[in-house]
Amino acid sequence: MKYLLPLPALLLTGCQMLSYTAPTDGDVATVTFSSDNIAAQPVVCVPGKGFQSTPTSLQQVPFETKAFDELLKTMKKAPEVTTTVQADEQARIGVIYQKGSAGNRDLCRVAVQFNAQAGASYAARFTNDNNQCGLEVSGEGGLQADAVPVDWKCPK
């Protein structure tokens, strides 16, 4: 029986997504994720390693109050999540959204590819209308992002 106990723990750790470590030097672009009050997990494609979760996720605020601010910070949740990505003509970002209770969950994963220019800032807004997930990317200061939806694949 003692041999069966570690197996579930091993299976659970094998399913976890790696945490994204944002680049701090070189040619990088800034991306700020947001949503319409939807709790979701932003991810960034790291070639050869797959999609990786940002350390902070998007929060949902069920009602206006400051009472939960500290708790949400502790849980690493925020209304906006800002990170940097490697400047690349084929930068890929995405969002994972899970709705429902255990055993009855709807999962939505949406990814886009865009031309992330060095030094530029982008806004990535996650939407979920009529159970259709979307991710809109726009550049700040009139910069074109030209984001296109892509399969949930991170190139090598």
Side-chain angles (χ1 to χ4, degrees):
M1 192 68 150
K2 66 180 179 180
Y3 298 106
L4 296 177
L5 292 176
L7 183 59
L10 181 62
L11 291 174
L12 286 175
T13 57
C15 296
Q16 292 177 346
M17 188 173 285
L18 295 174
S19 183
Y20 177 64
T21 303
T24 56
D25 57 355
D27 291 337
V28 297
T30 301
V31 177
T32 300
F33 291 88
S34 65
S35 71
D36 291 327
N37 200 25
I38 302 169
Q41 179 62 60
V43 296
V44 177
C45 170
V46 178
K49 296 183 180 180
F51 281 100
Q52 296 182 350
S53 300
T54 59
T56 303
S57 62
L58 294 169
Q59 72 185 35
Q60 178 183 23
V61 181
F63 46 88
E64 282 298 316
T65 181
K66 300 279 184 198
F68 294 107
D69 287 356
E70 288 304 313
L71 177 62
L72 290 169
K73 284 181 190 175
T74 301
M75 294 173 61
K76 296 186 177 185
K77 296 182 180 292
E80 291 186 338
V81 175
T82 300
T83 191
T84 56
V85 298
Q86 205 64 48
D88 187 343
E89 291 180 2
Q90 298 180 5
R92 288 187 182 205
I93 59 172
V95 173
I96 300 171
Y97 170 65
Q98 228 170 14
K99 178 182 174 185
S101 59
N104 186 23
R105 291 191 173 167
D106 293 326
L107 177 65
C108 168
R109 296 186 303 185
V110 60
V112 296
Q113 179 175 300
F114 69 106
N115 180 5
Q117 297 179 21
S121 294
Y122 299 90
R125 184 159 195 78
F126 173 68
T127 59
N128 184 16
D129 295 318
N130 297 322
N131 292 324
Q132 293 293 318
C133 294
L135 187 59
E136 302 164 356
V137 179
S138 58
E140 294 183 359
L143 181 66
Q144 289 279 349
D146 297 327
V148 293
V150 292
D151 290 335
W152 193 261
K153 292 181 184 174
C154 189
K156 294 184 178 188

mmCIF file of all heavy atoms in Angstrom, residues 15-66:
data_model
loop_
_atom_site.group_PDB
_atom_site.id
_atom_site.type_symbol
_atom_site.label_atom_id
_atom_site.label_comp_id
_atom_site.label_asym_id
_atom_site.label_seq_id
_atom_site.Cartn_x
_atom_site.Cartn_y
_atom_site.Cartn_z
ATOM 1 N N CYS A 15 1.267 17.159 -14.120
ATOM 2 C CA CYS A 15 0.274 17.923 -14.861
ATOM 3 C C CYS A 15 0.392 19.415 -14.658
ATOM 4 O O CYS A 15 -0.270 20.180 -15.323
ATOM 5 C CB CYS A 15 -1.132 17.487 -14.429
ATOM 6 S SG CYS A 15 -1.470 15.769 -14.856
ATOM 7 N N GLN A 16 1.205 19.844 -13.725
ATOM 8 C CA GLN A 16 1.297 21.265 -13.442
ATOM 9 C C GLN A 16 2.080 21.970 -14.533
ATOM 10 O O GLN A 16 3.038 21.453 -15.077
ATOM 11 C CB GLN A 16 1.964 21.499 -12.098
ATOM 12 C CG GLN A 16 1.115 21.043 -10.940
ATOM 13 C CD GLN A 16 1.838 21.223 -9.625
ATOM 14 O OE1 GLN A 16 3.034 21.444 -9.597
ATOM 15 N NE2 GLN A 16 1.093 21.125 -8.545
ATOM 16 N N MET A 17 1.651 23.191 -14.838
ATOM 17 C CA MET A 17 2.318 24.002 -15.828
ATOM 18 C C MET A 17 3.488 24.729 -15.165
ATOM 19 O O MET A 17 3.379 25.159 -14.029
ATOM 20 C CB MET A 17 1.317 25.005 -16.417
ATOM 21 C CG MET A 17 1.861 25.762 -17.585
ATOM 22 S SD MET A 17 0.613 26.773 -18.392
ATOM 23 C CE MET A 17 -0.302 25.532 -19.241
ATOM 24 N N LEU A 18 4.587 24.839 -15.863
ATOM 25 C CA LEU A 18 5.744 25.549 -15.335
ATOM 26 C C LEU A 18 5.439 27.022 -15.175
ATOM 27 O O LEU A 18 4.657 27.600 -15.918
ATOM 28 C CB LEU A 18 6.933 25.364 -16.273
ATOM 29 C CG LEU A 18 7.470 23.951 -16.423
ATOM 30 C CD1 LEU A 18 8.546 23.919 -17.489
ATOM 31 C CD2 LEU A 18 7.999 23.432 -15.114
ATOM 32 N N SER A 19 6.100 27.640 -14.210
ATOM 33 C CA SER A 19 5.926 29.071 -13.979
ATOM 34 C C SER A 19 6.873 29.841 -14.900
ATOM 35 O O SER A 19 8.046 29.501 -15.029
ATOM 36 C CB SER A 19 6.209 29.399 -12.522
ATOM 37 O OG SER A 19 5.979 30.764 -12.278
ATOM 38 N N TYR A 20 6.358 30.881 -15.499
ATOM 39 C CA TYR A 20 7.099 31.693 -16.458
ATOM 40 C C TYR A 20 8.070 32.621 -15.742
ATOM 41 O O TYR A 20 7.703 33.310 -14.782
ATOM 42 C CB TYR A 20 6.110 32.505 -17.295
ATOM 43 C CG TYR A 20 6.740 33.439 -18.282
ATOM 44 C CD1 TYR A 20 7.498 32.958 -19.338
ATOM 45 C CD2 TYR A 20 6.578 34.809 -18.177
ATOM 46 C CE1 TYR A 20 8.062 33.813 -20.270
ATOM 47 C CE2 TYR A 20 7.126 35.679 -19.097
ATOM 48 C CZ TYR A 20 7.878 35.177 -20.147
ATOM 49 O OH TYR A 20 8.432 36.032 -21.058
ATOM 50 N N THR A 21 9.303 32.638 -16.194
ATOM 51 C CA THR A 21 10.296 33.586 -15.712
ATOM 52 C C THR A 21 10.504 34.613 -16.819
ATOM 53 O O THR A 21 11.057 34.297 -17.876
ATOM 54 C CB THR A 21 11.626 32.882 -15.377
ATOM 55 O OG1 THR A 21 11.369 31.864 -14.406
ATOM 56 C CG2 THR A 21 12.633 33.872 -14.833
ATOM 57 N N ALA A 22 10.039 35.824 -16.568
ATOM 58 C CA ALA A 22 10.099 36.881 -17.575
ATOM 59 C C ALA A 22 11.535 37.348 -17.802
ATOM 60 O O ALA A 22 12.298 37.503 -16.850
ATOM 61 C CB ALA A 22 9.237 38.060 -17.133
ATOM 62 N N PRO A 23 11.902 37.572 -19.071
ATOM 63 C CA PRO A 23 13.242 38.097 -19.344
ATOM 64 C C PRO A 23 13.348 39.538 -18.847
ATOM 65 O O PRO A 23 12.383 40.302 -18.906
ATOM 66 C CB PRO A 23 13.345 38.035 -20.876
ATOM 67 C CG PRO A 23 11.945 38.012 -21.370
ATOM 68 C CD PRO A 23 11.124 37.377 -20.298
ATOM 69 N N THR A 24 14.514 39.890 -18.337
ATOM 70 C CA THR A 24 14.700 41.242 -17.798
ATOM 71 C C THR A 24 15.679 42.070 -18.610
ATOM 72 O O THR A 24 15.774 43.274 -18.421
ATOM 73 C CB THR A 24 15.194 41.169 -16.341
ATOM 74 O OG1 THR A 24 16.399 40.390 -16.306
ATOM 75 C CG2 THR A 24 14.145 40.546 -15.436
ATOM 76 N N ASP A 25 16.415 41.431 -19.503
ATOM 77 C CA ASP A 25 17.364 42.191 -20.310
ATOM 78 C C ASP A 25 17.267 41.756 -21.770
ATOM 79 O O ASP A 25 16.552 40.824 -22.105
ATOM 80 C CB ASP A 25 18.790 42.030 -19.778
ATOM 81 C CG ASP A 25 19.240 40.575 -19.717
ATOM 82 O OD1 ASP A 25 18.423 39.682 -19.994
ATOM 83 O OD2 ASP A 25 20.415 40.344 -19.391
ATOM 84 N N GLY A 26 17.983 42.446 -22.617
ATOM 85 C CA GLY A 26 17.924 42.151 -24.045
ATOM 86 C C GLY A 26 16.701 42.812 -24.671
ATOM 87 O O GLY A 26 16.119 43.749 -24.122
ATOM 88 N N ASP A 27 16.320 42.334 -25.834
ATOM 89 C CA ASP A 27 15.183 42.893 -26.555
ATOM 90 C C ASP A 27 13.886 42.292 -26.015
ATOM 91 O O ASP A 27 13.568 41.130 -26.303
ATOM 92 C CB ASP A 27 15.314 42.612 -28.055
ATOM 93 C CG ASP A 27 16.448 43.406 -28.683
ATOM 94 O OD1 ASP A 27 16.830 44.454 -28.118
ATOM 95 O OD2 ASP A 27 16.955 42.983 -29.744
ATOM 96 N N VAL A 28 13.157 43.080 -25.232
ATOM 97 C CA VAL A 28 11.901 42.611 -24.640
ATOM 98 C C VAL A 28 10.780 43.599 -24.935
ATOM 99 O O VAL A 28 11.010 44.765 -25.219
ATOM 100 C CB VAL A 28 12.018 42.390 -23.109
ATOM 101 C CG1 VAL A 28 13.029 41.306 -22.793
ATOM 102 C CG2 VAL A 28 12.353 43.678 -22.394
ATOM 103 N N ALA A 29 9.570 43.088 -24.849
ATOM 104 C CA ALA A 29 8.352 43.906 -24.961
ATOM 105 C C ALA A 29 7.527 43.643 -23.706
ATOM 106 O O ALA A 29 7.623 42.589 -23.092
ATOM 107 C CB ALA A 29 7.561 43.511 -26.213
ATOM 108 N N THR A 30 6.720 44.612 -23.329
ATOM 109 C CA THR A 30 5.863 44.492 -22.147
ATOM 110 C C THR A 30 4.453 44.136 -22.580
ATOM 111 O O THR A 30 3.925 44.722 -23.528
ATOM 112 C CB THR A 30 5.844 45.817 -21.361
ATOM 113 O OG1 THR A 30 7.188 46.135 -20.981
ATOM 114 C CG2 THR A 30 4.984 45.717 -20.122
ATOM 115 N N VAL A 31 3.837 43.173 -21.880
ATOM 116 C CA VAL A 31 2.459 42.779 -22.151
ATOM 117 C C VAL A 31 1.681 42.885 -20.842
ATOM 118 O O VAL A 31 2.117 42.331 -19.822
ATOM 119 C CB VAL A 31 2.362 41.337 -22.691
ATOM 120 C CG1 VAL A 31 0.909 40.934 -22.902
ATOM 121 C CG2 VAL A 31 3.146 41.190 -23.987
ATOM 122 N N THR A 32 0.546 43.581 -20.883
ATOM 123 C CA THR A 32 -0.333 43.677 -19.724
ATOM 124 C C THR A 32 -1.632 42.957 -20.040
ATOM 125 O O THR A 32 -2.373 43.358 -20.937
ATOM 126 C CB THR A 32 -0.605 45.144 -19.348
ATOM 127 O OG1 THR A 32 0.646 45.776 -19.039
ATOM 128 C CG2 THR A 32 -1.534 45.234 -18.137
ATOM 129 N N PHE A 33 -1.894 41.865 -19.309
ATOM 130 C CA PHE A 33 -3.108 41.071 -19.466
ATOM 131 C C PHE A 33 -4.214 41.666 -18.601
ATOM 132 O O PHE A 33 -3.958 42.110 -17.484
ATOM 133 C CB PHE A 33 -2.877 39.624 -19.008
ATOM 134 C CG PHE A 33 -1.958 38.824 -19.879
ATOM 135 C CD1 PHE A 33 -0.591 38.828 -19.653
ATOM 136 C CD2 PHE A 33 -2.462 38.038 -20.902
ATOM 137 C CE1 PHE A 33 0.264 38.072 -20.438
ATOM 138 C CE2 PHE A 33 -1.615 37.277 -21.692
ATOM 139 C CZ PHE A 33 -0.252 37.294 -21.460
ATOM 140 N N SER A 34 -5.448 41.639 -19.107
ATOM 141 C CA SER A 34 -6.618 42.061 -18.335
ATOM 142 C C SER A 34 -7.819 41.261 -18.826
ATOM 143 O O SER A 34 -7.730 40.515 -19.795
ATOM 144 C CB SER A 34 -6.864 43.559 -18.474
ATOM 145 O OG SER A 34 -7.197 43.877 -19.803
ATOM 146 N N SER A 35 -8.951 41.432 -18.120
ATOM 147 C CA SER A 35 -10.186 40.758 -18.519
ATOM 148 C C SER A 35 -11.364 41.586 -18.036
ATOM 149 O O SER A 35 -11.193 42.569 -17.331
ATOM 150 C CB SER A 35 -10.255 39.349 -17.930
ATOM 151 O OG SER A 35 -10.473 39.412 -16.532
ATOM 152 N N ASP A 36 -12.555 41.148 -18.401
ATOM 153 C CA ASP A 36 -13.776 41.783 -17.922
ATOM 154 C C ASP A 36 -14.217 41.097 -16.628
ATOM 155 O O ASP A 36 -15.226 40.412 -16.600
ATOM 156 C CB ASP A 36 -14.895 41.688 -18.976
ATOM 157 C CG ASP A 36 -14.600 42.549 -20.179
ATOM 158 O OD1 ASP A 36 -13.978 43.613 -20.026
ATOM 159 O OD2 ASP A 36 -14.992 42.143 -21.292
ATOM 160 N N ASN A 37 -13.400 41.258 -15.581
ATOM 161 C CA ASN A 37 -13.702 40.679 -14.276
ATOM 162 C C ASN A 37 -13.847 39.151 -14.345
ATOM 163 O O ASN A 37 -14.760 38.570 -13.773
ATOM 164 C CB ASN A 37 -14.958 41.317 -13.677
ATOM 165 C CG ASN A 37 -15.041 41.119 -12.180
ATOM 166 O OD1 ASN A 37 -14.041 40.930 -11.505
ATOM 167 N ND2 ASN A 37 -16.247 41.133 -11.652
ATOM 168 N N ILE A 38 -12.931 38.520 -15.075
ATOM 169 C CA ILE A 38 -12.928 37.066 -15.229
ATOM 170 C C ILE A 38 -11.624 36.534 -14.641
ATOM 171 O O ILE A 38 -10.539 36.992 -15.004
ATOM 172 C CB ILE A 38 -13.026 36.661 -16.713
ATOM 173 C CG1 ILE A 38 -14.285 37.236 -17.344
ATOM 174 C CG2 ILE A 38 -12.987 35.154 -16.869
ATOM 175 C CD1 ILE A 38 -14.337 37.104 -18.853
ATOM 176 N N ALA A 39 -11.723 35.569 -13.752
ATOM 177 C CA ALA A 39 -10.531 34.939 -13.192
ATOM 178 C C ALA A 39 -9.946 33.986 -14.231
ATOM 179 O O ALA A 39 -10.632 33.079 -14.697
ATOM 180 C CB ALA A 39 -10.885 34.180 -11.918
ATOM 181 N N ALA A 40 -8.695 34.209 -14.602
ATOM 182 C CA ALA A 40 -8.056 33.395 -15.637
ATOM 183 C C ALA A 40 -6.543 33.430 -15.446
ATOM 184 O O ALA A 40 -6.019 34.283 -14.726
ATOM 185 C CB ALA A 40 -8.435 33.916 -17.027
ATOM 186 N N GLN A 41 -5.848 32.522 -16.124
ATOM 187 C CA GLN A 41 -4.400 32.418 -15.989
ATOM 188 C C GLN A 41 -3.693 32.806 -17.284
ATOM 189 O O GLN A 41 -3.792 32.094 -18.283
ATOM 190 C CB GLN A 41 -3.999 30.987 -15.614
ATOM 191 C CG GLN A 41 -2.502 30.780 -15.479
ATOM 192 C CD GLN A 41 -1.900 31.629 -14.380
ATOM 193 O OE1 GLN A 41 -2.276 31.507 -13.229
ATOM 194 N NE2 GLN A 41 -0.961 32.501 -14.736
ATOM 195 N N PRO A 42 -2.969 33.939 -17.295
ATOM 196 C CA PRO A 42 -2.164 34.289 -18.467
ATOM 197 C C PRO A 42 -0.981 33.335 -18.618
ATOM 198 O O PRO A 42 -0.424 32.858 -17.617
ATOM 199 C CB PRO A 42 -1.656 35.702 -18.158
ATOM 200 C CG PRO A 42 -2.555 36.216 -17.088
ATOM 201 C CD PRO A 42 -2.971 35.012 -16.300
ATOM 202 N N VAL A 43 -0.606 33.062 -19.857
ATOM 203 C CA VAL A 43 0.526 32.197 -20.153
ATOM 204 C C VAL A 43 1.356 32.811 -21.280
ATOM 205 O O VAL A 43 0.855 33.595 -22.086
ATOM 206 C CB VAL A 43 0.086 30.765 -20.534
ATOM 207 C CG1 VAL A 43 -0.598 30.067 -19.373
ATOM 208 C CG2 VAL A 43 -0.807 30.761 -21.750
ATOM 209 N N VAL A 44 2.625 32.428 -21.312
ATOM 210 C CA VAL A 44 3.546 32.894 -22.350
ATOM 211 C C VAL A 44 4.237 31.671 -22.934
ATOM 212 O O VAL A 44 4.665 30.770 -22.204
ATOM 213 C CB VAL A 44 4.592 33.872 -21.769
ATOM 214 C CG1 VAL A 44 5.602 34.291 -22.834
ATOM 215 C CG2 VAL A 44 3.911 35.099 -21.161
ATOM 216 N N CYS A 45 4.345 31.639 -24.253
ATOM 217 C CA CYS A 45 5.035 30.549 -24.939
ATOM 218 C C CYS A 45 6.544 30.751 -24.815
ATOM 219 O O CYS A 45 7.067 31.810 -25.161
ATOM 220 C CB CYS A 45 4.627 30.539 -26.413
ATOM 221 S SG CYS A 45 5.607 29.436 -27.446
ATOM 222 N N VAL A 46 7.208 29.725 -24.305
ATOM 223 C CA VAL A 46 8.667 29.707 -24.254
ATOM 224 C C VAL A 46 9.098 28.599 -25.206
ATOM 225 O O VAL A 46 8.890 27.415 -24.907
ATOM 226 C CB VAL A 46 9.187 29.448 -22.824
ATOM 227 C CG1 VAL A 46 10.703 29.381 -22.811
ATOM 228 C CG2 VAL A 46 8.674 30.517 -21.860
ATOM 229 N N PRO A 47 9.642 28.959 -26.389
ATOM 230 C CA PRO A 47 9.988 27.941 -27.378
ATOM 231 C C PRO A 47 10.833 26.813 -26.777
ATOM 232 O O PRO A 47 11.775 27.046 -26.040
ATOM 233 C CB PRO A 47 10.779 28.725 -28.430
ATOM 234 C CG PRO A 47 10.216 30.111 -28.333
ATOM 235 C CD PRO A 47 9.959 30.309 -26.865
ATOM 236 N N GLY A 48 10.417 25.588 -27.088
ATOM 237 C CA GLY A 48 11.104 24.410 -26.591
ATOM 238 C C GLY A 48 10.658 23.969 -25.204
ATOM 239 O O GLY A 48 10.989 22.888 -24.754
ATOM 240 N N LYS A 49 9.897 24.834 -24.507
ATOM 241 C CA LYS A 49 9.456 24.504 -23.145
ATOM 242 C C LYS A 49 7.942 24.536 -22.994
ATOM 243 O O LYS A 49 7.421 24.159 -21.967
ATOM 244 C CB LYS A 49 10.092 25.455 -22.145
ATOM 245 C CG LYS A 49 11.599 25.328 -22.077
ATOM 246 C CD LYS A 49 12.179 26.233 -21.031
ATOM 247 C CE LYS A 49 13.692 26.073 -20.982
ATOM 248 N NZ LYS A 49 14.286 26.946 -19.968
ATOM 249 N N GLY A 50 7.236 25.050 -23.984
ATOM 250 C CA GLY A 50 5.778 25.104 -23.929
ATOM 251 C C GLY A 50 5.247 26.386 -23.316
ATOM 252 O O GLY A 50 5.999 27.312 -23.005
ATOM 253 N N PHE A 51 3.924 26.421 -23.130
ATOM 254 C CA PHE A 51 3.289 27.571 -22.499
ATOM 255 C C PHE A 51 3.564 27.518 -20.999
ATOM 256 O O PHE A 51 3.445 26.454 -20.381
ATOM 257 C CB PHE A 51 1.780 27.573 -22.743
ATOM 258 C CG PHE A 51 1.405 28.081 -24.098
ATOM 259 C CD1 PHE A 51 1.101 27.197 -25.120
ATOM 260 C CD2 PHE A 51 1.357 29.439 -24.368
ATOM 261 C CE1 PHE A 51 0.751 27.658 -26.376
ATOM 262 C CE2 PHE A 51 1.011 29.912 -25.624
ATOM 263 C CZ PHE A 51 0.705 29.021 -26.630
ATOM 264 N N GLN A 52 3.928 28.658 -20.427
ATOM 265 C CA GLN A 52 4.213 28.736 -19.006
ATOM 266 C C GLN A 52 3.348 29.817 -18.361
ATOM 267 O O GLN A 52 3.164 30.901 -18.928
ATOM 268 C CB GLN A 52 5.691 29.020 -18.772
ATOM 269 C CG GLN A 52 6.573 27.892 -19.283
ATOM 270 C CD GLN A 52 8.045 28.119 -19.013
ATOM 271 O OE1 GLN A 52 8.473 29.176 -18.605
ATOM 272 N NE2 GLN A 52 8.837 27.076 -19.247
ATOM 273 N N SER A 53 2.831 29.523 -17.165
ATOM 274 C CA SER A 53 1.956 30.442 -16.439
ATOM 275 C C SER A 53 2.729 31.600 -15.842
ATOM 276 O O SER A 53 3.810 31.410 -15.278
ATOM 277 C CB SER A 53 1.269 29.709 -15.286
ATOM 278 O OG SER A 53 0.497 28.653 -15.752
ATOM 279 N N THR A 54 2.145 32.790 -15.918
ATOM 280 C CA THR A 54 2.722 33.924 -15.201
ATOM 281 C C THR A 54 2.542 33.674 -13.705
ATOM 282 O O THR A 54 1.597 32.994 -13.296
ATOM 283 C CB THR A 54 2.033 35.244 -15.599
ATOM 284 O OG1 THR A 54 0.635 35.149 -15.304
ATOM 285 C CG2 THR A 54 2.243 35.565 -17.073
ATOM 286 N N PRO A 55 3.431 34.213 -12.862
ATOM 287 C CA PRO A 55 3.318 33.979 -11.419
ATOM 288 C C PRO A 55 2.009 34.522 -10.819
ATOM 289 O O PRO A 55 1.534 34.013 -9.816
ATOM 290 C CB PRO A 55 4.520 34.710 -10.830
ATOM 291 C CG PRO A 55 5.478 34.861 -11.953
ATOM 292 C CD PRO A 55 4.656 34.939 -13.200
ATOM 293 N N THR A 56 1.434 35.537 -11.434
ATOM 294 C CA THR A 56 0.187 36.133 -10.963
ATOM 295 C C THR A 56 -0.909 35.835 -11.973
ATOM 296 O O THR A 56 -0.667 35.812 -13.175
ATOM 297 C CB THR A 56 0.342 37.663 -10.805
ATOM 298 O OG1 THR A 56 1.428 37.914 -9.900
ATOM 299 C CG2 THR A 56 -0.911 38.307 -10.262
ATOM 300 N N SER A 57 -2.122 35.587 -11.483
ATOM 301 C CA SER A 57 -3.254 35.328 -12.376
ATOM 302 C C SER A 57 -4.259 36.476 -12.291
ATOM 303 O O SER A 57 -4.218 37.292 -11.370
ATOM 304 C CB SER A 57 -3.926 34.004 -12.021
ATOM 305 O OG SER A 57 -4.432 34.045 -10.715
ATOM 306 N N LEU A 58 -5.146 36.517 -13.265
ATOM 307 C CA LEU A 58 -6.194 37.535 -13.289
ATOM 308 C C LEU A 58 -7.264 37.181 -12.258
ATOM 309 O O LEU A 58 -7.653 36.025 -12.144
ATOM 310 C CB LEU A 58 -6.817 37.641 -14.680
ATOM 311 C CG LEU A 58 -5.891 38.154 -15.771
ATOM 312 C CD1 LEU A 58 -6.531 37.968 -17.139
ATOM 313 C CD2 LEU A 58 -5.552 39.617 -15.529
ATOM 314 N N GLN A 59 -7.724 38.166 -11.539
ATOM 315 C CA GLN A 59 -8.707 37.930 -10.488
ATOM 316 C C GLN A 59 -10.108 38.305 -10.924
ATOM 317 O O GLN A 59 -10.290 39.087 -11.851
ATOM 318 C CB GLN A 59 -8.365 38.742 -9.235
ATOM 319 C CG GLN A 59 -8.626 40.243 -9.401
ATOM 320 C CD GLN A 59 -8.188 41.050 -8.209
ATOM 321 O OE1 GLN A 59 -7.195 40.737 -7.568
ATOM 322 N NE2 GLN A 59 -8.916 42.104 -7.897
ATOM 323 N N GLN A 60 -11.061 37.724 -10.234
ATOM 324 C CA GLN A 60 -12.456 38.120 -10.365
ATOM 325 C C GLN A 60 -12.847 38.761 -9.043
ATOM 326 O O GLN A 60 -12.525 38.237 -7.982
ATOM 327 C CB GLN A 60 -13.351 36.915 -10.635
ATOM 328 C CG GLN A 60 -14.813 37.295 -10.726
ATOM 329 C CD GLN A 60 -15.701 36.084 -10.928
ATOM 330 O OE1 GLN A 60 -15.329 34.969 -10.605
ATOM 331 N NE2 GLN A 60 -16.875 36.312 -11.458
ATOM 332 N N VAL A 61 -13.514 39.884 -9.101
ATOM 333 C CA VAL A 61 -13.972 40.566 -7.898
ATOM 334 C C VAL A 61 -15.494 40.459 -7.873
ATOM 335 O O VAL A 61 -16.169 41.099 -8.671
ATOM 336 C CB VAL A 61 -13.533 42.046 -7.891
ATOM 337 C CG1 VAL A 61 -14.002 42.734 -6.620
ATOM 338 C CG2 VAL A 61 -12.024 42.145 -8.027
ATOM 339 N N PRO A 62 -16.037 39.605 -6.984
ATOM 340 C CA PRO A 62 -17.484 39.394 -6.970
ATOM 341 C C PRO A 62 -18.280 40.620 -6.527
ATOM 342 O O PRO A 62 -19.423 40.773 -6.895
ATOM 343 C CB PRO A 62 -17.668 38.234 -5.997
ATOM 344 C CG PRO A 62 -16.422 38.183 -5.194
ATOM 345 C CD PRO A 62 -15.342 38.808 -6.006
ATOM 346 N N PHE A 63 -17.661 41.493 -5.744
ATOM 347 C CA PHE A 63 -18.320 42.724 -5.321
ATOM 348 C C PHE A 63 -17.256 43.733 -4.938
ATOM 349 O O PHE A 63 -16.140 43.375 -4.589
ATOM 350 C CB PHE A 63 -19.303 42.488 -4.157
ATOM 351 C CG PHE A 63 -18.733 41.632 -3.065
ATOM 352 C CD1 PHE A 63 -18.020 42.176 -2.014
ATOM 353 C CD2 PHE A 63 -18.914 40.257 -3.088
ATOM 354 C CE1 PHE A 63 -17.492 41.389 -1.019
ATOM 355 C CE2 PHE A 63 -18.391 39.457 -2.079
ATOM 356 C CZ PHE A 63 -17.675 40.022 -1.045
ATOM 357 N N GLU A 64 -17.594 45.007 -5.033
ATOM 358 C CA GLU A 64 -16.649 46.079 -4.756
ATOM 359 C C GLU A 64 -16.378 46.201 -3.264
ATOM 360 O O GLU A 64 -17.283 46.479 -2.483
ATOM 361 C CB GLU A 64 -17.184 47.422 -5.280
ATOM 362 C CG GLU A 64 -17.039 47.599 -6.773
ATOM 363 C CD GLU A 64 -15.601 47.597 -7.237
ATOM 364 O OE1 GLU A 64 -14.740 48.239 -6.613
ATOM 365 O OE2 GLU A 64 -15.324 46.911 -8.241
ATOM 366 N N THR A 65 -15.166 45.956 -2.877
ATOM 367 C CA THR A 65 -14.733 46.124 -1.492
ATOM 368 C C THR A 65 -13.216 46.065 -1.469
ATOM 369 O O THR A 65 -12.604 45.460 -2.337
ATOM 370 C CB THR A 65 -15.317 45.043 -0.563
ATOM 371 O OG1 THR A 65 -14.850 45.296 0.764
ATOM 372 C CG2 THR A 65 -14.906 43.656 -0.983
ATOM 373 N N LYS A 66 -12.639 46.691 -0.491
ATOM 374 C CA LYS A 66 -11.182 46.635 -0.316
ATOM 375 C C LYS A 66 -10.799 45.522 0.657
ATOM 376 O O LYS A 66 -9.638 45.268 0.893
ATOM 377 C CB LYS A 66 -10.670 47.983 0.215
ATOM 378 C CG LYS A 66 -10.970 49.148 -0.689
ATOM 379 C CD LYS A 66 -9.980 49.221 -1.793
ATOM 380 C CE LYS A 66 -10.252 50.471 -2.630
ATOM 381 N NZ LYS A 66 -9.645 50.411 -3.897
#
